[in-house]
């Protein structure tokens, strides 16, 4: 139906040349050029794919993929990972009370602590993630609801945020900074990790806040607005804090390099997750001595300042401790997939080889001619 | 369309009158008569469509009238109005691009037309007004003006010739620009108007304008002071057509009868009906499937969205509140806009770019036909001509070929071979030799025993000299070069003796006149009233030419009535035997018939010559009748025909002539190849059965072993009443023999080739055919037709002789509309083939000697029949494969493009979040994946040209739309689905832990999309690379270039914060993705895994190749070493060639694996 709409020569009858005085007599009478291009005889490589040519490819793929797969699998298996769900929907959970009694305008924060133990030590740097489930950060309405130019430090956008930020664009007539639903729903549980020494003392583990966001985000994409005053508070004067926030953006952190729009927790949150179940990097536990593991085997306590409600949409919250390898976090999928594909290729290669031997001894690998 | 409307506008009120009245020399004749003053349009030619003012609205309107454009416009508007996931730019930009390019192209074409129009309209002409010569612009000419035209000028409108500067009241014109016939045609002045053009008082009554160039009926009333009004009839010989050029005549005066858009030329350029190719039908069918897919996807998503939202807390979680406007919207309206949004999100599945690419492919691809030097014919000095590029691929789908005989299978270069006078045979020699009338002696024995009576012999030769419409070229000095050129163009050669050359519309006539010349009678020349011949005694005889009873294909004969010097009135008639024999006395027939039949069997064209003496009263009566018929305004043709038929009776047969028409160069080879390619060749000719049959044998359409079935008047026998019964009997018998006895085999295509059984050939003639097709209107009619069709389809070749032009078209239509609607191709060179050329799916014109009519109406024109082989077997085959692959690939690549986006909806709360960034959505079809497939569809040669030429049977591989049937479509769709699923779920599994960076940082949704998109672009491009069998540097450049461009673009797009973007979604996404080893590994794994089935299929296709190999020992499809190489490798570099081919062999593998090796080195580092 549609292709018929297009016609190359709709106006066949309108050949102006034929109507002109010179008329159709002006027919080309010259011989076509004898060029390779016009005669469709450009030199060409003409590969013929037959079992013969394809066969080595199968073996090569097989031989390459299986070791890669094994490497990946082993790497993934060597990664230590620990996940603790602290949503608190079950009555047995330590955070049950916090999750039940939650309301936005609470004055005293609700704190709950979860104890766990590590059977094996985490040797290298440990990365602490928070994970959310059934949280649609990739909902279109949500994804749109931000103003990148405001976050980039544009003063106009600071005062006049983008329309996309609705309904979190202004509050009481004052522009919200940072505006939009994403910023408004910034994850605000505070997670603290304590090591329970066998001798009974509890030592808080140092959590590094920096280096959790992409370098380019932190240094280019996100910038604090620059005013006459170097004081962030003054610059953000006249803006409102996001509705659900407890403190304004210029009080996110005491470190001026991690405050305002360049607060890394905010930046990490602003990179919307791909799937409704996701994890985001929260803190890094750096390895300080080369001799002792970062997290030795033993008992730990996770203390959560429970601010973030997920019960209303049946979401879940997790804390994840993980070491990292060259391939990132723990993910056995790639290793298994590589081994599988490699084996399939190898197997097919063998089958094809048998077929090849049985039926066609004539076709060689030099199947290509010019 | 528009022009027609314009014509109506100007000539609207005269539609009710079926003739027009024109006052010649308007200014001077305010004669009040019964006729109301009619209004005629002015002499302005308007071929342009637009003016500067209406261009924009009109062009836009016309463009959006096309359904596809309209669809995209709607999508665009939805995007503008409704809150949709993708910005309107994503679909607006491509649409804007397409519309602009088309508008510019059309605007330019229109500008050219304006220029050409102006050139014609502003051309200075001289008009006589009140006896004075006035200079005017051509467009100012009114109907009734007397116009002066000088030699070599083009007539500014259709004129009735009043006065010529030549003595014999004739003028010569060439109509090269109208029908391409470059010979000079004679036109005659209206008698009695010669003297006083300035003071002419005349009224012309003529029919309303009609497009037939060769028909004109009119009447001229000439008033002279004090005299009675004289009435003269006007025919086409008096009409000078706009566009024709005056030749050999210093000056003429003519009165304008048709002007501007009503001239025959303008009416003839109304354009012909559009032919659509099978591929286009397939595209439309696929489109509907995809449209359904699109709608159902959108529907599924909408439904699920509302189901999902009904769950507790999912509709509006606290972190993602709706805007006030969203809350206020009516639920059903919201559902509807959601549906539209999904449609918009998935609309890329039907891409604008496909239309653009298909159009470009067709347009650019057709150049290869014009450029092909193998189609260049040194004789015609021309190559092939492409009149439409819409049907390129149809050339690869032809199942039935209908070919004309004369000029197509044969050269139409006539040579007088022999004649037979009163039963005695005369071979063509300088002196008369006669051999035994019946036994053929090729030896030198020439015993002059029997010889026709002298007077009969001379009468015969006189008849040959007089009964024709040949012109002798002006006796102006014919220099050598001119003569040579004319010889090439028109097929006559200047006679060595007296430097004269003959010009005729039919080469037969020239051959006959020349034949008479060798026997001593020379035609010297003629003017409108007399003909001169030089007889054997070198004495010039002058005959007064009284009437010419023109040749027409229905009567199949022509006559002249002349008055000899002695005052005797003679009618000479020549024509086909079948049309002459019934009109002569029976007793003479038999003696001649033997010769005629034998000559016909030899493949000669025979004509019979008869004469008749007309007594004075007879002649007076005939003369009166003819004049009356000529003067009549209505049904003149029929009336003339009746008079002709009445006059041409009771004649005396004198003899017959045989003219040889040689077979075209490599006609037999071509026909054999076409048959080998599974095409059925039908010969449709106006010629007689015996001649046609022998041509068929000569062309190897009929073989020695072919059993011929005849459905001819002869086979049916005499007796009107019994014919139908006999016909049915024959039909049933043949049907039984042909259809039932042959072993049942499903496809008719393969039977002719593979089964060793009996070959059948069918011969049918015009009379029987009309009996068949017009048989009793009740049910039996269609029964006859079905039987006939079945027989025809089971025969290897069919010969239809004695066909009228319309019957040719009828046959084509019958086959075309038969079961399975096979693709038909008609090839012909003459005006009588135009109807079948227009009727068939593909019409091929041969640039022959019978003018340009066929070429003008054809879709493709080639100089010679032999070129048909390459046109079909190579160009057709390649074009079909190319476009079929193009179409399938386009649907495939958009399916696997959009499927992940569809799947993503399940994981983003059905919120219509696009998976890919807007830039990728827009650029995917425009930049990243469009060029490789375009290059493929222009340059691919899956089998080399020479192999295609050598193995005609390869054509069968693509027969019956093999690559665009539902099977392959299903395969491609499944491939697309497989790839789409793989891309999405592969990356989904990888993203189960989004911490993919070695720094522990996580990836977001745009990285997810970018990874999928990268895999997608690489996979579809490499998939095309795997399908490419012919890698020119262009393919290399475009394929690897596209991939490189994608990478560069991604770097660039993500490398800068673009000020015009509201959200910097892709900022550093691509680069960060590349810094993740897992992303690399995932991309490579998924690309390899997606292409695995294709590679596997290639490997498993071998057994099929083995089968084909038995039939075709050297088909490159299945056999590794191609015997015919695209270019020659010099023997010295043999070793080098081997090495390089081996290197190339590893190349494909490397192209897969180079990312892997990169990875390896990265690991090592």
């Amino acid at each position: 139906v549609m292709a018929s709409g297009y016609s190359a020569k709709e106006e066949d009858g309108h050949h102006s040349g034929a109507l002109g005085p010179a008329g159709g007599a002006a027919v080309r009478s010259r011989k076509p050029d004898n060029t390779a291009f016009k005669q469709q005889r450009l030199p060409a490589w003409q590969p013929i794919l037959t079992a013969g040519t394809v066969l080595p490819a199968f073996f090569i793929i097989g031989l390459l993929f299986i070791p890669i797969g094994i490497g990946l699998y082993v790497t993934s298996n060597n990664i230590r990972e620990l996940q603790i769900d602290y949503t608190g929907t079950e009555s047995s959970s330590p955070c049950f009370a916090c999750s039940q009694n939650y309301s936005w305008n609470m004055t005293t924060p609700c704190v709950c602590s979860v104890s766990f133990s590590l059977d094996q030590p985490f040797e290298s740097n440990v990365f602490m993630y928070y994970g959310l489930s059934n949280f649609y950060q990739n909902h279109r309405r949500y994804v749109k609801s931000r103003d990148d130019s405001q976050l980039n430090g544009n003063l106009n956008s600071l005062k006049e945020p983008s329309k996309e930020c609705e309904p979190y664009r202004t509050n009481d007539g004052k522009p919200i900074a940072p505006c939009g639903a994403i910023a408004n729903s910034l994850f605000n549980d505070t997670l603290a990790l304590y090591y329970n020494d066998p001798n009974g003392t509890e030592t808080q583990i140092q959590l590094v806040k920096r280096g959790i966001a992409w370098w380019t985000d932190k240094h280019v994409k996100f910038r604090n607005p620059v005013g006459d005053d170097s004081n962030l508070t003054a610059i953000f004067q006249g803006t409102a804090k996001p509705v659900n926030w407890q403190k304004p953006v210029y009080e996110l952190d005491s470190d001026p390099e991690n405050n305002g729009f360049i607060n890394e927790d905010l930046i990490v949150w602003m990179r919307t997750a791909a799937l409704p179940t996701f994890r985001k990097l929260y803190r890094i536990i750096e390895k300080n001595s080369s001799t002792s593991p970062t997290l030795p085997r033993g008992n730990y306590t996770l203390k959560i300042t429970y601010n973030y409600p997920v019960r209303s949409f049946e979401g879940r919250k997790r804390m994840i401790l993980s070491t990292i390898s060259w391939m990132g976090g723990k993910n056995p999928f790639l290793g298994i997939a590589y081994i599988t594909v490699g084996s399939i290729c190898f197997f097919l290669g063998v089958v094809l080889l048998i077929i090849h031997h049985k039926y066609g001894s004539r076709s060689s690998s030099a199947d290509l001619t010019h | 369309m528009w022009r027609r409307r314009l014509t109506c506008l100007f000539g609207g009120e005269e539609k009710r009158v079926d003739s027009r009245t024109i006052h010649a020399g308007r200014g001077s004749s305010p004669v009040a008569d019964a006729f109301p003053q009619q209004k005629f349009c002015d002499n302005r030619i308007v071929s342009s469509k637009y003016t500067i003012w209406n261009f924009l609205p009109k062009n836009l309107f016309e463009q959006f009238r096309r359904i596809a454009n309209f669809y995209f416009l709607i999508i665009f508007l939805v995007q503008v109005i409704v809150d949709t996931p993708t910005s309107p730019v994503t679909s607006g930009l491509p649409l804007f691009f397409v519309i602009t390019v088309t508008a510019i192209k059309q605007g330019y074409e229109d500008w050219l037309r304006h220029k050409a129009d102006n050139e014609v309209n502003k051309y200075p002409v001289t008009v006589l007004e009140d006896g004075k010569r006035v200079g005017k612009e051509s467009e100012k000419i009114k109907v009734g003006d007397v116009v002066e035209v000088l030699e070599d000028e083009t007539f500014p409108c259709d004129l009735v010739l009043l006065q010529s500067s030549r003595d014999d009241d004739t003028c010569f014109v060439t109509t090269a620009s109208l029908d391409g016939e470059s010979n000079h045609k004679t036109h005659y002045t209206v008698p009695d108007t010669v003297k006083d053009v300035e003071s002419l008082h005349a009224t012309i009554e003529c029919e309303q304008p009609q497009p037939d160039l060769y028909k004109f009926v009119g009447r001229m009333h000439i008033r002279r002071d004090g005299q009675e009004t004289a009435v003269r009839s006007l025919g086409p010989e008096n009409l000078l057509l706009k566009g024709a050029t005056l030749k050999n005549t210093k000056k003429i005066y003519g009165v304008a009868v048709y002007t501007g858009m009503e001239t025959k030329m303008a009416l003839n350029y109304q354009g012909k009906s559009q032919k659509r190719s099978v591929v286009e039908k397939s595209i439309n069918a696929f489109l509907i499937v995809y449209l359904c897919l699109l709608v159902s996807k959108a529907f599924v998503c909408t439904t699920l969205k509302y189901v999902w939202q009904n769950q507790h807390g999912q509709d509006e979680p606290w972190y993602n509140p709706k805007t006030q406007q969203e809350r206020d919207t009516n639920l059903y309206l919201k559902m509807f806009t959601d549906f539209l949004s999904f449609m918009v999100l998935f609309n890329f599945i039907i891409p604008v770019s496909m239309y653009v690419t298909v159009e470009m492919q067709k347009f650019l691809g057709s150049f290869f036909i014009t450029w092909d030097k193998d189609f260049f014919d040194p004789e015609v000095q021309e190559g092939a001509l492409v009149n439409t590029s819409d049907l390129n691929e149809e050339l690869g789908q032809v199942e039935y070929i209908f070919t004309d005989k004369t000029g197509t299978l044969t050269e139409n270069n006539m040579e007088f071979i022999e004649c037979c006078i009163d039963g005695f045979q005369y071979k063509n020699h300088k002196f008369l030799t006669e051999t035994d009338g019946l036994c053929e002696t090729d030896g030198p024995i020439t015993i002059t025993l029997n010889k026709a009576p002298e007077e009969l012999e001379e009468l015969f030769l006189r008849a040959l000299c007089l009964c024709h419409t040949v012109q002798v070229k002006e006796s102006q000095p014919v220099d050598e070069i001119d003569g040579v050129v004319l010889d090439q163009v028109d097929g006559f050669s200047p006679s060595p003796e007296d430097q004269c050359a003959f010009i005729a519309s039919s080469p037969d006539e020239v051959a006959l006149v020349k034949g008479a010349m060798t026997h001593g009678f020379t035609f010297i020349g003629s003017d409108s009233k007399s003909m001169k011949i030089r007889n054997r005694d070198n004495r010039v005889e002058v005959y007064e030419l009284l009437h010419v009873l023109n040749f027409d294909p229905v009567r199949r004969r022509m006559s002249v009535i002349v008055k000899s010097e002695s005052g005797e009135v003679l009618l000479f008639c020549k024509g086909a035997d079948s049309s002459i024999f019934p009109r002569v006395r029976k007793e003479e027939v038999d003696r001649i018939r033997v010769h005629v039949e034998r000559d016909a069997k030899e493949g000669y064209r025979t004509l019979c010559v008869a004469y008749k003496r007309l007594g004075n009263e007879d002649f007076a009566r005939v003369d009166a009748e003819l004049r009356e018929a000529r003067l009549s305004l209505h049904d003149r043709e029929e009336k003339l025909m009746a008079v002709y038929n009445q006059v041409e009776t009771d004649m005396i047969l004198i003899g017959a002539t045989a003219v040889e028409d040689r077979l075209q160069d490599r006609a037999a080879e071509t026909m054999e190849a076409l048959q080998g390619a599974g095409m059925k060749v039908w010969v449709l000719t106006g010629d007689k059965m015996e001649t046609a049959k022998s041509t068929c044998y000569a062309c190897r359409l009929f073989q020695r072993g072919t059993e011929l079935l005849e459905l001819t008047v002869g086979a049916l026998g005499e007796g009107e009443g019994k014919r139908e019964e006999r016909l049915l009997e024959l039909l049933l018998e043949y049907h039984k023999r042909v259809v039932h006895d042959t072993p049942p085999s499903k496809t008719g295509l393969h039977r002719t080739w593979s089964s060793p059984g009996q070959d059948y050939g069918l011969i049918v003639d015009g009379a029987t055919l009309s009996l068949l097709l017009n048989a009793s209107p009740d049910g039996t009619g269609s029964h006859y037709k079905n039987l006939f069709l079945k027989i025809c389809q089971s025969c290897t070749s069919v010969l239809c002789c004695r066909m009228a032009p319309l019957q040719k078209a009828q046959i084509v239509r019958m086959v075309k509309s038969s079961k399975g609607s096979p693709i038909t191709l008609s090839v012909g060179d003459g005006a009588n083939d135009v109807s079948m050329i227009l009727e068939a799916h593909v019409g091929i014109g041969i640039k022959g000697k019978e003018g340009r009519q066929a070429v003008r109406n054809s879709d493709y024109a080639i100089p010679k029949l032999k070129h048909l082989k390459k046109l079909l077997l190579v160009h057709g085959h390649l074009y079909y494969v190319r476009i079929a692959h193009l179409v399938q690939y386009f649907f495939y690549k958009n399916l696997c493009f959009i499927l992940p986006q569809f799947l993503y909806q399940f994981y983003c709360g059905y919120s219509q979040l696009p998976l890919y960034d807007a830039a990728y959505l827009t650029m995917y079809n425009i930049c990243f994946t469009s060029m490789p497939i375009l290059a493929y569809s222009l340059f691919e040669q899956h089998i080399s040209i020479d192999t295609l030429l050598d193995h005609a049977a390869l054509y069968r591989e693509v027969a019956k739309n093999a690559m665009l049937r539902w099977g392959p479509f299903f395969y491609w769709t499944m491939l697309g689905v497989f790839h789409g699923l793989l891309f999405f779920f592969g990356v989904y599994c990888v993203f189960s832990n989004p911490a993919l960076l070695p720094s522990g940082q996580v990836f977001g949704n745009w990285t997810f999309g970018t990874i999928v998109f990268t895999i997608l672009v690489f996979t579809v491009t490499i998939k095309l690379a795997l399908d490419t069998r012919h890698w020119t540097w262009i393919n290399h450049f475009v394929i690897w270039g596209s991939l490189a461009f994608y990478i560069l673009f991604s770097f660039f797009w993500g490398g800068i914060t673009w000020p015009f973007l509201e959200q910097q979604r892709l900022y550093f996404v691509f680069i960060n993705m590349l810094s993740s080893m897992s992303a690399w590994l995932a991309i490579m794994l998924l690309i390899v895994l997606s292409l695995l089935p294709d590679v596997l299929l290639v490997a498993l296709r071998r057994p099929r190749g083995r089968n084909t190999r038995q039939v075709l020992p050297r088909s490159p499809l299945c056999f590794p070493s191609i015997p015919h190489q695209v270019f020659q490798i010099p023997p010295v570099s043999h070793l080098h060639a081997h090495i390089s081919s081996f290197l190339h062999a590893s190349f494909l593998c490397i192209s897969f694996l180079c990312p892997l090796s990169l990875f390896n080195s990265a690991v090592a580092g």
Side-chain angles (χ1 to χ4, degrees), chain A residues 1-6 8-11 13-14 16 18-21 24 27-29 31-32 34 37-47 49 51 54 58 60 64-65 68 72 104 127 129 134-136 138-144 146 148 164 166-168 181 185 211-214 216 220-221 244 271-276 279 281 308-309 312-313 324-331 333-334 337-338 341 345 348 352 359-360 362-363 367-368 370, chain B residues 3 47 49 66-69 83-85 113 120 177 265 269 271 274 276 284 287 308 312-314 318-322 326 355 359 368 370-373 376 381-382 387 390 875 882 904 907-909 911-913 939 941 945-946 986 988-990 993 995-1005 1008 1029-1032 1062-1064 1067-1068 1072 1077-1078 1081 1085 1089 1092 1095-1096 1098-1099 1102 1106 1109 1120 1125-1127 1140-1141 1144-1145 1148 1153 1156 1159:
Chain A
V1 184
M2 282 164 188
S4 65
Y6 274 85
K9 296 206 170 177
E10 196 196 38
E11 44 282 310
H14 291 281
S16 51
L19 289 172
V27 193
R28 208 164 6 149
S29 71
K31 192 171 173 153
N34 187 12
F37 177 75
K38 288 189 174 180
Q39 301 307 320
Q40 303 194 65
R41 293 195 184 265
L42 280 177
W45 167 50
Q46 297 177 302
L49 293 177
V54 168
F58 279 101
I60 293 170
L64 267 172
F65 273 28
I68 293 174
L72 277 168
W104 278 113
F127 294 76
Y129 298 88
N134 205 20
F135 189 101
Y136 284 84
N138 59 5
H139 196 281
R140 185 162 67 93
R141 200 192 309 134
Y142 188 80
V143 169
K144 275 199 311 187
R146 64 191 287 165
D148 276 354
E164 301 286 354
E166 287 294 352
Y168 297 113
S185 57
I212 56 173
W214 292 11
T216 47
V220 186
K221 195 173 169 183
N244 288 355
R271 181 155 295 281
T272 48
L275 298 167
R279 64 174 72 175
L281 190 52
Y308 209 69
S312 61
F313 53 88
I324 286 295
S325 71
W326 54 267
M327 59 170 285
K330 195 181 185 75
N331 190 352
F333 166 75
L334 265 181
Y338 261 91
V341 173
C345 279
L348 284 176
L352 285 177
Y359 295 103
R362 266 184 295 173
S363 61
D367 278 339
L368 308 156
H370 279 278
Chain B
R3 193 190 338 210
S47 65
K49 277 168 95 177
R66 297 169 177 174
I67 297 169
N69 276 346
D83 168 46
T84 54
R113 275 184 226 123
V120 178
S177 58
M265 184 181 74
Y269 282 101
Q274 278 278 311
R276 304 236 158 268
N284 284 342
L287 264 182
W308 180 77
H312 170 69
Q314 303 302 350
W318 66 264
Y319 58 85
N320 188 15
K322 294 176 179 174
E326 251 179 304
Y355 296 97
E359 285 304 324
F368 284 122
T370 13
W371 284 338
D372 197 326
K373 72 175 162 52
F376 180 77
Q381 283 291 314
E382 270 177 51
N387 287 332
D390 287 346
H875 287 284
R882 289 167 183 172
Y904 191 56
Y907 299 94
C908 72
S911 61
Q912 301 128 16
L913 182 73
F939 306 116
Q941 290 169 29
I945 289 179
D946 298 304
Y988 176 84
C989 289
V990 172
N993 181 353
L996 292 167
L997 282 166
S999 59
Q1001 290 157 357
V1002 294
F1003 282 150
N1005 63 320
F1008 187 98
R1029 289 284 168 282
H1030 189 82
W1031 287 80
T1032 63
E1062 213 155 75
Q1063 294 194 12
Q1064 308 295 337
Y1067 184 67
F1068 257 70
N1072 259 318
M1077 196 49 66
S1078 296
L1081 289 173
L1085 172 83
L1089 191 57
L1092 208 57
V1095 179
L1096 194 65
V1098 168
R1102 256 179 61 78
R1106 286 173 58 81
R1109 193 193 300 171
Q1125 292 165 358
V1126 172
F1127 59 91
S1140 71
S1141 68
H1144 278 148
L1148 253 192
L1153 302 173
L1156 271 184
F1159 151 69

Side-chain angles (χ1 to χ4, degrees), chain B residues 1-10 261 267 270-271:
Chain B
M1 266 306 272
W2 192 67
R3 193 190 338 210
R4 194 167 292 152
R5 229 176 294 145
L6 181 107
T7 318
C8 293
L9 198 77
F10 282 103
M261 302 313 293
L267 291 173
Q270 294 284 11

